[in-house]
Amino acid sequence: MSVKKGRVFSGARPTGRQHIGNYFGAISNYVKLQEEYDCIYCIVDLHALTTLETTRDLKQNTLEMTWDWLAAGIDPQKSIVFVQSMVRQVTELHTILSMVTPLGKLTDLPTFKEKVRENPKNVNYGLVGYPVLMSADILLYRADMVPVGVDQAPHIEFARETVRSFNFHYSTDVLIEPKEKFTDFPKIMGIDGVNKMSKSLNNDIEIAATATETAAKVMQMVTDPARQRRSDPGNPDVCNVFSLHKIFTPPEKVAEINVECRRAGIGCVDCKKILAANMNAYFAPLRERRLEFEKDPEGTWDILQQGAKRASVIAEETMVSVREAVGLPAIRKD
Ligand code: TRP
């Protein structure tokens, strides 16, 4: 095996079927990183509990997300893919880290304030501790680098500060300060053309949608609002369909659409048909692979269990050092 540059850890809440924003913002990056780093990818179901009203779909959502990940090329032979709750040490590290975490720092975080604004009736203890659990994820596996969206920057900074307080407080160096790696892919807008693509805003296109479903979503997409009639010239610079063409359509065709739209040579319906066809062609191999995984949910749980087993080895190593540094008794293995 070639020598890798270090360890990557990333986590995502089990939101079920992933959309093309998730795909280009996170998943395709996870796939690429596997070549150069030892990667650990985690489905953070405990984090999901902080905001869920019901856990009815939790396991199915975990499966659906795993299928998208695997079909996209996250390879359990190369990387560790697992479910957060299957490695219990993370909750233990969370408790220990909480002792070196000033409460005010948590309540000051913009991500916390946003959650409170969104759902003032469900400000539970776990929600306040969300960044502590996230730090526990990263630090438990001694990750060097964490690929995340820019919205997560305060959480990574928080994790680094936690390492510094922990290591200082217990005069140790067992925990490692992680670095963030932001995705450079431009943000993908939803079919409304104004908001970032998101499942909760119901403006998304799932990567595993059928060709017909994909085409129907593309047909609903908002284009240049100033273009009222087919005969009006359009402005690709403000059109989200055009932005997506830049991802899915060959450059010569993009250049042609750019010209034709501006002189009303092509209408929005035809333009969207081309986009839908290209999007479907792009995701066809992924969708085929996904169907294979879907046939075998038990096999998928096995993959996640195996991943958890490998992750547990690293987790336990860290916890042995952490317990010792803190002054807790070692746990005998028998
Ligand atoms: N908070 C992250 C998000 O909402 C998810 C997450 C949990 C995570 N634990 C993590 C991301 C560890 C990176 C590393 O996107």
Side-chain angles (χ1 to χ4, degrees), residues 63-96:
L63 269 185
E64 297 281 354
M65 191 157 99
T66 307
W67 286 332
D68 284 328
W69 280 12
L70 298 176
I74 295 181
D75 181 351
Q77 302 294 326
K78 289 184 193 152
S79 305
I80 297 179
V81 185
F82 76 110
V83 178
Q84 185 185 34
S85 63
M86 287 182 179
V87 179
R88 294 198 189 92
Q89 283 88 340
V90 77
T91 59
E92 185 186 358
L93 186 57
H94 168 261
T95 300
I96 292 175

Side-chain angles (χ1 to χ4, degrees), residues 9-13 44 47 130 134 137-138 146-148 152 155:
F9 182 97
S10 195
R13 278 165 295 148
V44 293
H47 275 110
Y130 185 110
M134 178 164 164
D137 280 328
I138 301 167
V146 186
V148 278
Q152 294 297 311
H155 287 163

